[in-house]
Amino acid sequence: MHPQVALRPEPFGALAYHYGNRRLVFLRHPDIVRVVRNASSYPSLREALAGEGVEEQRWPSFVKALSSLTTSEIIRVR
Amino acid sequence: MSAESLVAQMKSGLDAPICLTWELTYACNLACVHCLSSSGQRDERELSTEQAKAVLDELRDLQVFYINIGGGEPMVRRDFFEILEHSISNGIGVKFSTNGAFIDKKNAERLAAMDYLDIQISLDGTNAEVNDAVRGEGSYDTAIRAMENLRDAGFGQFKISVVVTRHNVDQLDEFKALADSFGAQLRITRLRPAGRGADTWNELHPTNAQQRQIYDWLLAHGENVLTGDSFFHLNAFGESLPGLNMCGAGRVVCLIDPLGDVYACPFVIHEDFKAGNVLDDGGFTKVWRASDLFTELREPQSAGACASCGAFDACQGGCMAAKFFTGIPLDGPDPECVGGDGEKLLGAVPVALLPRPSMDHSKPERIKVTS
């Protein structure tokens, strides 16, 4: 997660706000919130998804979501 | 989760607002004829510095990421910078709206040194003639001077905020060029019949043909122009404009007025839309999460008279505040309904019986609109 990003829990998942670029992004599922929050403690994205209990058939949609979060700089590639 | 269900989720309310407007004072050096809060004179009941800081501490705990500060003219408050600094140092970014009168070279430099701060200079015409007719004599020059001071101080990208009226709608390209010349971002919003705007809306609001003009202009330029999602009633023309197509009042948006009263949105300073006060037991949090008014606004709303209209999904019946102050039922069409259904209802309620804003802090003399 980008150091200038804050997450606020909401019933649907969370709101992510980037203080630098002022972008507000909706994380629309509790699972994606957990992955975003904890990804940095895993050696790879694959292990993060597995470790956070995301079933393998959902990985493509998670990769897509995470890639769009990279574009808005909510998360960064190490 | 699909986009539709996200909107449904937002309609049922969030744990804290996304877009919170806080008007710091009713005092203002200007007397704009469309002022949403009928500002002019300070109210002796306005929140003290300590009370304001306590509200900010609460907003920090709620993780409100940023607030929109306005007024009146917020820079009139002697503790303006103290409040600003307290907010920003607590992780609450600030965007404040100002007429620019107090952005001299020194203040511009002070503002330029702050992080997480956006400034919005109000301007309602690209020349003094059009602007000053609404905002008062000399206000055009004042705003331009403030922009020059911000530019010279290296503030970076500020915003120029325009309320679109019948008289400046033809200047949209010029506003964009002016913003570009300052490296600023243009923001255009809808004129609301709220505050003193209730008295001038009839003469100032865009004609039906001009609404089409605004819609077409936004479709062509919308990507780089901010609107606060305020033109969603125009979506009934066809393709949706960018943004959330919904009324956020009490759901994702609210207003804290200078006294600490919490209203559903900045356009409805009226008893019917007052949810509570930040000084009540339980503070702002309880007002936001549990007030009767906000609970009611988060329940599914009836499409009422618009239920049979094919465009309802696109325009959602428009703006609650615009309907309220023009005497149209809240489940009726927007007064600026592009299908003309709202216009037909205007005048159904005698002017003397229309709802009046709960508070009026106008100075004794008013500037008259001349045309």
Side-chain angles (χ1 to χ4, degrees), chain B residues 29-255:
Chain B
N29 50 306
L30 297 184
C32 306
V33 299
H34 57 14
C35 180
L36 296 167
S37 55
S38 304
S39 285
Q41 296 170 303
R42 182 180 168 272
D43 191 307
E44 58 188 21
R45 301 165 293 172
E46 290 178 5
L47 297 179
S48 68
T49 310
E50 291 317 307
Q51 286 169 329
K53 284 184 177 175
V55 172
L56 288 169
D57 293 344
E58 204 185 337
L59 298 180
R60 171 200 60 207
D61 296 342
L62 284 172
Q63 278 196 283
V64 170
F65 302 123
Y66 56 88
I67 55 175
N68 304 305
I69 285 181
E73 168 51 54
M75 293 186 80
V76 162
R77 271 188 79 128
R78 288 200 190 95
D79 57 4
F80 174 72
F81 278 98
E82 195 179 342
I83 290 172
L84 206 58
E85 278 155 9
H86 191 80
S87 184
I88 291 167
S89 67
N90 275 290
I92 308 167
V94 171
K95 177 174 85 176
F96 77 88
S97 298
T98 175
N99 56 47
F102 301 94
I103 303 186
D104 54 16
K105 288 193 184 303
K106 191 165 145 262
N107 279 341
E109 277 165 20
R110 192 168 176 186
L111 293 164
M114 297 170 85
D115 281 332
Y116 306 138
L117 176 67
D118 290 314
I119 302 177
Q120 192 161 282
I121 311 270
S122 302
L123 191 74
D124 290 338
T126 54
N127 54 45
E129 188 193 352
V130 173
N131 177 80
D132 292 6
V134 169
R135 305 186 52 82
E137 203 182 331
S139 59
Y140 175 82
D141 291 341
T142 300
I144 297 292
R145 199 177 315 119
M147 293 178 203
E148 290 166 352
N149 288 338
L150 286 175
R151 180 194 58 202
D152 296 349
F155 178 83
Q157 192 185 54
F158 57 89
K159 300 173 202 317
I160 298 177
S161 188
V162 177
V163 176
V164 182
T165 68
R166 197 169 294 182
H167 307 296
N168 66 19
V169 69
D170 290 329
Q171 298 184 325
L172 288 174
D173 285 333
E174 290 168 37
F175 278 117
K176 184 72 173 71
L178 179 74
D180 290 346
S181 75
F182 277 103
Q185 191 169 27
L186 181 62
R187 177 176 189 265
I188 68 171
T189 58
R190 183 177 175 193
L191 175 79
R192 303 301 207 298
R196 280 195 294 271
D199 300 327
T200 50
W201 184 81
N202 275 322
E203 301 98 71
L204 290 182
H205 82 97
T207 63
N208 239 342
Q210 288 175 331
Q211 298 216 71
R212 179 82 214 191
Q213 196 180 333
I214 298 167
Y215 174 78
D216 290 340
W217 194 86
L218 280 172
L219 275 188
H221 302 89
E223 296 245 320
N224 301 311
V225 176
L226 303 170
T227 61
D229 291 353
S230 65
F231 292 105
F232 69 88
H233 69 296
L234 300 182
N235 288 342
F237 278 127
E239 187 188 336
S240 272
L241 298 169
L244 279 177
N245 175 24
M246 61 176 268
C247 163
R251 298 154 156 176
V252 295
V253 172
C254 74
L255 168 76

Side-chain angles (χ1 to χ4, degrees), chain A:
Chain A
M1 209 163 88
H2 193 285
Q4 278 184 295
V5 168
L7 290 182
R8 178 172 107 194
E10 285 291 345
F12 56 82
L15 286 174
Y17 183 65
H18 192 306
Y19 282 95
N21 64 25
R22 314 287 206 268
R23 282 196 206 218
L24 183 70
V25 176
F26 298 87
L27 304 181
R28 301 179 188 183
H29 197 287
D31 289 347
I32 190 88
V33 179
R34 259 194 352 268
V35 171
V36 166
R37 219 185 262 284
N38 302 332
S40 64
S41 59
Y42 292 92
S44 71
L45 178 60
R46 188 178 294 269
E47 281 156 288
L49 291 171
E52 294 300 328
V54 179
E55 302 90 347
E56 222 171 316
Q57 71 263 29
R58 293 167 72 208
W59 287 10
S61 68
F62 272 68
V63 169
K64 203 175 147 204
L66 292 167
S67 140
S68 104
L69 291 173
T70 315
T71 311
S72 49
E73 296 176 79
I74 298 294
I75 53 173
R76 304 192 287 191
V77 178
R78 264 189 304 241

